[in-house]
Amino acid sequence: MHRFDYHTPATLAEAVALLDGFGDRARIIAGGTDLLTALKERWETPEHVVDLRCIPGLDEITHDPTVGLTIGARVTVRAVETSPLVRRYYPALAYAASTLASIQIRNLATVAGNICRASPSADTPPVLLALGASVTACGPNGERTVSLDEFFTGPGRTVLTRNEVLTAIQIPPAGSCSGAAYIKHSPRRAMDLAMVGVAAAARIEQDRIADVRIALGAVAPTPRRSAAAEAVLLGHQPDAQLLEEAGQAAAAECTPISDVRGTASHRRAMVAVLTQRALEQALAGAHVEAEVRQ
Amino acid sequence: MTQMIRMTVNGQPVELTVEPYRTLLDVLRDELDLTGAKKGCDRGDCGACTVLLDGKPVTSCMMLAVQADGHRITTIEGLGAGGRLHPVQQAFVDHGAVQCGFCTPGMVLAAVALLEENPQPTEAEVRDAIAGNLCRCTGYAKIVDAVMSVSQAAEVNS
Amino acid sequence: MSAEPLVVGKRLPRVDAIDKVTGAARYTGDYHTRGMLHAAMLRSPHAHARIRSIDTSRAERLPGVKLILTCFNVPRVLHAGQPEPRAGSLVRDQYILDSTVRFHGDGVAAVAAISPEAAEEALSLISVEYEPLPVVFDAYDAMADGAPSIHGTERNLVIPPVVIAWGDVDKGLAEADHVFERTYTTSRHVPAFMEPYICTVVPDATGRLTVYSSTQAPFMVRGTLSEVLGIPMSKIRVITEHMGGAFGAKQDLYQQEYLAALMALRTGQPVRFEFSRAETFISGRSRHPVTVELKQGVTKDGILTARQARYVANSGAYGSHGPGITWVGAAALGSLHRCENVHIEGLCVYTNAPIAGAFRGYGAPQAYFALETQMDEIAEALGIDPIELRKRNAMRPGDIGPAGTPFTNNQLPVCLDRGAARIGWETRKGRSGDLRGAEDLQGCVISDDGENLGGLARTVRGIGVACELHSATAYPETREIANAAVALNEDGTVQLRIGSADLGTGAKTVLAQICAETLGVCYEDISVLAGDTDLVPYDLGAYASRTTYIAGGAVDQAAREARDKLLKLAAAKLEVPVDDLSVQQGFIRIAGRPDAIVPIAHIVGPEQGAPAETITGQARNQPLNAYSFAAQFAEVEIDTETGQVRVLKMVAVHDIGKAINPAAAEGQVEGGLHQGIGYALMEDMVIDPRTGRTLNPNFVDYKLLTSLDMPEMEVEFVESGLGDGPYGAKGVAEDSLCPTAPAITNAIYNATGVRVTQLPVNPEHLLAAMRASANTKTRRRQVSSTDV
């Protein structure tokens, strides 16, 4: 790795001030697993690295029935995966977290970092998009909250500016009679990147799909929702044909590329199949919950 | 600009000055002569550099040494006590779980961390716990047997 | 001597296990020396180019840079990438650094600096002016008229075509009731051992070099360095204590050894040259991508009447082991099944792809993929059980094997029967591609008894088999030799010195067991020294599947010599006839006197006024070869909507003569299955077809199976004891992966009716073929096969 200076601000304000001063010459480090890859490959050569580890209050997961779940910027992927709160209220998120790399990496990597690196194939963004997550960032002008729907702007790019620090991720309360799922398609069962990732979240009301979010990974420049698939489903009674149509709509809408991990055509075909499967799982969860309530 | 860091390594307090761009793995190997952790890929993809950070397995190649400031590190050299092998190490010896041995330190530490958290894991849980440690020699069969035997031994003893 | 072995055949812990589980074992990268320099390589961004000029001036001015080597300041000595003196196949086509680069990643310049960071930074300051040359990556394209010439050879061939032939193929084909013809292609499979290529060279004041090298063949490194650099062998010591895997690929030199030695000599400082994982992929050695064109004639009973094949191996930019691999691949194609009319042609072709070389199986897995897939096709077409078909065509004692020596026995039918029982062969669907459980792939599930279960049919299962045979040695390509030396210490313990390095297989352990058994001492009392050219007797290296067989034979003979001397001495001291004496577990026993048990130390130890007796044994073993056999079975499950294949179970039954250490032998097979399953399903180093750049030189995109991906494995040994190695042993290491891929692809056929002819299995193609096949079946209600 090249030489750089390392900073450990003690407060968020100090971190923002440092970043504001350094501009494009600095990068933030939280878990570091993505940044270290970029530094070792010389994709990035910042003069300054600003570590968030001395800033208090960023490493907590909290849950409130009315506000939902809040994940601090330094919460590791492994902490989310194993959190009893996440497992209870957002099992699809816990599962998605468990599919990322290895336990060793998940003990270092943060969910916030997984979002901020904005890799098209990242594992947590699709499920976070499906769950309606938003993020809070702190900059020189104070805090702002951004829906994850508007967060990603391109591969490796987000709406955050160089002087902003993402401080927390919020997920709204899971509605009643709802379910969510994430399916990662990769050759191996561990240590792999998604060739395609599909997340679905749905809420059932009187046997009809009252709310639905489908989010896709690795088939567009950014993780993104499939409005077309959602439109097919919304307001309808789910059956096999409807789910197949939704899968076809998602496949038609996505814009995958061909690379060493898979061809565009195969990725597209997998979106169709996995969207159906993710919906089946999400709806099964919603139905189970509906039965419990009755 | 070098940084002073303080860590506890294998139970011993360590204070040293490091360049911020050096990984924990490089510092352990080059500065502290703890060469049990291996550099297999230097990208966090193989697990040969696994050490325990406050008891949890991490890839030390994907962590700056400065990030370990204030933490407790256990390397393979820190396992076992009084000249006796840790039960996981002994099980690896007894079950023929070692071939070339390059993945072994990381593999043993991943298993130790699992058993600390979950003393009687299922085979699926064992396989999950070592999924971040690639091995090219064994097909993992005897490694899984070894870890399972420690769990069963714990069961018998309890 | 006791009839029952006390040490051989036991699952003893490895001699180096404790060192390895405690982290005490020192690998090449674990040696640190004061003042050590770090080397790094600048690699070519062109797959084929002439270097016009190299400007190192900016890099030289960087603080910490000590020396920069380029093709303009290193000795220009043409040498072989496969440096052992293997007569007939030595291809000299490499320079330490050359002014022409022949693949994307070829070495251009090397820097020695005081830190890895400085060396890396210096690389970015070197300017090179290249004149790009035309490129060719495909072996067939490279043989075509007008292809760019890579080494100036005719049709870009590395060696003249290898031809193995007997009988009359035209006559055999004319006699056949059916003729099968198809082309099979295989991938760029990488050994991907965990320890990257590395060496450290330490000079002393007299210019003598100590070379710490992760090599399978320390004497080869010494000999080649001596030849290329013009240094007497007495001034080079090569040490390989522990190695993090090799699998065949660590028997070449990788430019780094020459460069580090030159740097050490010119700077007077120790130099470490460590390749990154990416460099280990790009500039390492892979299994040759091979195309096999195979045509066979059979009678209506499935008896082979003719076999004609062409084996085309893509050697990449340099010859390396290409000649040997082509020979072994062609010989394998002429083998395994009995056939009176055979014509095999082997071609080894230069291209601008990364270099292929030696990797476990050495050309045979590609051949067996073709052969054993086509045997399955024949069985299917003729309605003969695949196991029965293989038995009908089995080699018989007296038939000539691939190494040109006759079979003394063939345990393959036994392996087939035992494996069939373990996998549940009788439950296998007779009619392949019946898609039991999934009548309509897009629709509903039909149960085994025809009931429509509704819902989505998502998986189908199948069972397949494939066989192999492999020679333990490199004979006749190489005249094999191994040495061993045994010395009894005055306390009765033993020093065993062997020439070959232990690449992690457990060679030292197995050799210690043989020594303990034969000499009559305790296993724990043996200290094994290997892999130090100053201290151990000469050995060609740990390659092929030879160490237990050849080095083990040398150890057995050396231990026998020491034992005989010991018993003679004991007879004199105890004043009993030597024929009445035996030695076991460190004690000498006298026949008919169960009370008289004398520790060895009492015989060889010092007595008052007399020094200790020195008892040694030394042996040189030069056997020809021994054939091992294996049958492997796979059970697979295919997701009919994604095309993903999962191996559920592997059964491997191997005739290895005798398992000296069953745990170690099982470990060899289990590890081989890991590599073989990966070869079948997902391992492939991919290069950009336009630029030749390697696209996946990392463990994310070059996919090694994890613990979660490995199936249940059952390994069984047929211990016929019929090998002529020590205690009846033969080889096992390479055999373990030779039949794995075709066993899996045959199981895929059994499940889906889709014939895989290209490795690795491509889920997208499999899916398309399954759909096509299912549609055909729905329409025509008959078995059809589709190729992938």
Side-chain angles (χ1 to χ4, degrees), chain A residues 1-3 39-40 42 185-193 195 244 260-267 269-270 273-274 276-277 280, chain C residues 115 117-118 120-121 124 456 458 639 641-644 646 682 686 695-696 699-706 708-709 763-764 767 771:
Chain A
M1 276 187 278
H2 74 290
R3 286 156 214 281
L39 297 178
K40 289 178 181 198
R42 298 196 164 223
H185 190 65
S186 57
R188 293 184 292 179
R189 297 192 152 195
M191 297 295 285
D192 222 335
L193 293 180
M195 183 204 292
E244 194 185 328
V260 73
R261 293 170 197 152
T263 64
S265 61
H266 191 53
R267 282 190 160 111
M270 291 306 96
V273 171
L274 302 177
Q276 290 176 63
R277 290 187 183 182
E280 281 170 26
Chain C
S115 70
E117 289 82 11
E120 201 187 332
E121 196 176 342
S124 65
L456 293 167
R458 290 208 164 140
D639 186 320
E641 293 178 339
T642 65
Q644 270 197 333
R646 224 178 119 64
M682 58 185 81
V686 182
L695 297 176
N696 56 343
F699 284 141
V700 173
D701 287 317
Y702 187 92
K703 295 176 192 299
L704 301 190
L705 298 167
T706 72
L708 287 170
D709 302 302
E764 183 177 13
L767 190 59
R771 294 235 157 104

Side-chain angles (χ1 to χ4, degrees), chain C residues 646-660:
Chain C
R646 224 178 119 64
V647 178
L648 300 175
K649 183 173 182 175
M650 289 295 309
V651 170
V653 185
H654 287 244
D655 167 27
I656 61 169
K658 172 74 186 170
I660 305 293

Side-chain angles (χ1 to χ4, degrees), chain B residues 74-121:
Chain B
T74 308
T75 70
I76 192 69
E77 290 89 347
L79 283 191
R84 291 192 55 185
L85 297 179
H86 184 283
V88 173
Q89 291 173 313
Q90 187 64 53
F92 271 56
V93 173
D94 295 342
H95 285 78
V98 178
Q99 287 195 34
C100 86
F102 208 73
C103 75
T104 305
M107 199 68 90
V108 167
L109 287 166
V112 166
L114 166 73
L115 293 166
E116 287 287 322
E117 214 174 79
N118 177 1
Q120 285 169 25

Side-chain angles (χ1 to χ4, degrees), chain C residues 421-505:
Chain C
R422 282 180 178 269
I423 198 81
W425 186 258
E426 74 285 351
T427 68
R428 178 179 177 272
K429 286 174 289 179
R431 244 181 37 175
S432 291
D434 220 1
L435 299 179
R436 178 181 60 186
E439 182 67 8
D440 173 358
L441 290 172
Q442 283 90 28
C444 53
V445 176
I446 310 291
S447 76
D448 285 351
D449 43 15
E451 189 194 351
N452 187 337
L453 300 174
L456 293 167
R458 290 208 164 140
T459 57
V460 287
R461 291 187 179 190
I463 292 175
V465 64
C467 303
E468 66 95 46
L469 72 86
H470 204 75
S471 182
T473 75
Y475 178 85
E477 196 206 351
T478 301
R479 279 306 306 269
E480 291 282 8
I481 179 176
N483 287 292
V486 169
L488 263 170
N489 299 318
E490 52 263 45
D491 65 351
T493 60
V494 175
Q495 308 298 125
L496 171 62
R497 292 181 300 131
I498 53 171
S500 67
D502 187 336
L503 27 149
T505 55

Side-chain angles (χ1 to χ4, degrees), chain A:
Chain A
M1 276 187 278
H2 74 290
R3 286 156 214 281
F4 54 77
D5 285 341
Y6 173 78
H7 309 268
T8 50
T11 65
L12 208 48
E14 210 183 303
V16 169
L18 278 172
L19 292 167
D20 200 35
F22 297 141
D24 208 35
R25 293 175 296 142
R27 290 292 179 275
I28 297 171
I29 189 168
T33 55
D34 269 325
L35 183 66
L36 258 64
T37 303
L39 297 178
K40 289 178 181 198
E41 299 287 351
R42 298 196 164 223
W43 296 332
E44 299 199 20
T45 50
E47 291 165 36
H48 303 274
V49 169
V50 178
D51 197 333
L52 304 181
R53 70 185 168 92
C54 294
I55 302 171
L58 295 181
D59 54 0
E60 284 165 15
I61 301 176
T62 56
H63 183 257
D64 180 301
T66 54
V67 179
L69 190 76
T70 304
I71 301 169
R74 292 191 53 246
V75 173
T76 64
V77 177
R78 180 71 169 164
V80 167
E81 171 192 355
T82 55
S83 156
L85 284 173
V86 178
R87 288 190 165 193
R88 177 161 172 205
Y89 297 108
Y90 306 92
L93 174 60
Y95 171 74
S98 79
T99 68
L100 188 148
S102 64
I103 290 175
Q104 288 92 322
I105 292 290
R106 300 200 292 276
N107 274 327
L108 293 171
T110 62
V111 177
N114 198 228
I115 296 174
C116 288
R117 292 302 293 179
S119 163
S121 64
D123 284 307
T124 61
V127 74
L128 289 170
L129 281 166
L131 293 171
S134 57
V135 299
T136 299
C138 185
N141 305 320
E143 274 193 357
R144 62 168 172 153
T145 296
V146 184
S147 160
L148 208 56
D149 290 338
E150 277 106 48
F151 185 75
F152 303 107
T153 55
R157 294 203 314 272
T158 72
V159 297
L160 295 185
T161 53
R162 284 286 177 213
N163 54 13
E164 281 183 302
V165 179
L166 189 152
T167 55
I169 303 156
Q170 292 90 21
I171 307 176
S176 55
C177 305
S178 63
Y182 174 65
I183 296 181
K184 173 175 181 167
H185 190 65
S186 57
R188 293 184 292 179
R189 297 192 152 195
M191 297 295 285
D192 222 335
L193 293 180
M195 183 204 292
V196 173
V198 179
R203 188 168 61 82
I204 303 278
E205 216 173 275
Q206 292 168 340
D207 291 339
R208 285 176 189 277
I209 298 176
D211 241 327
V212 64
R213 287 162 170 268
I214 312 265
L216 311 175
V219 288
T222 67
R224 52 166 293 173
R225 284 172 62 187
S226 174
E230 292 171 7
V232 166
L233 297 160
L234 200 62
H236 292 281
Q237 268 193 340
D239 59 23
Q241 197 190 335
L242 186 74
L243 302 196
E244 194 185 328
E245 280 170 33
Q248 298 296 346
E253 194 182 28
C254 69
T255 54
I257 56 164
S258 291
D259 63 14
V260 73
R261 293 170 197 152
T263 64
S265 61
H266 191 53
R267 282 190 160 111
R268 198 181 289 280
M270 291 306 96
V271 166
V273 171
L274 302 177
T275 298
Q276 290 176 63
R277 290 187 183 182
L279 281 165
E280 281 170 26
Q281 286 181 24
L283 289 166
H287 281 299
V288 167
E289 215 193 303
E291 276 166 29
V292 170
R293 277 166 191 277
Q294 275 162 8

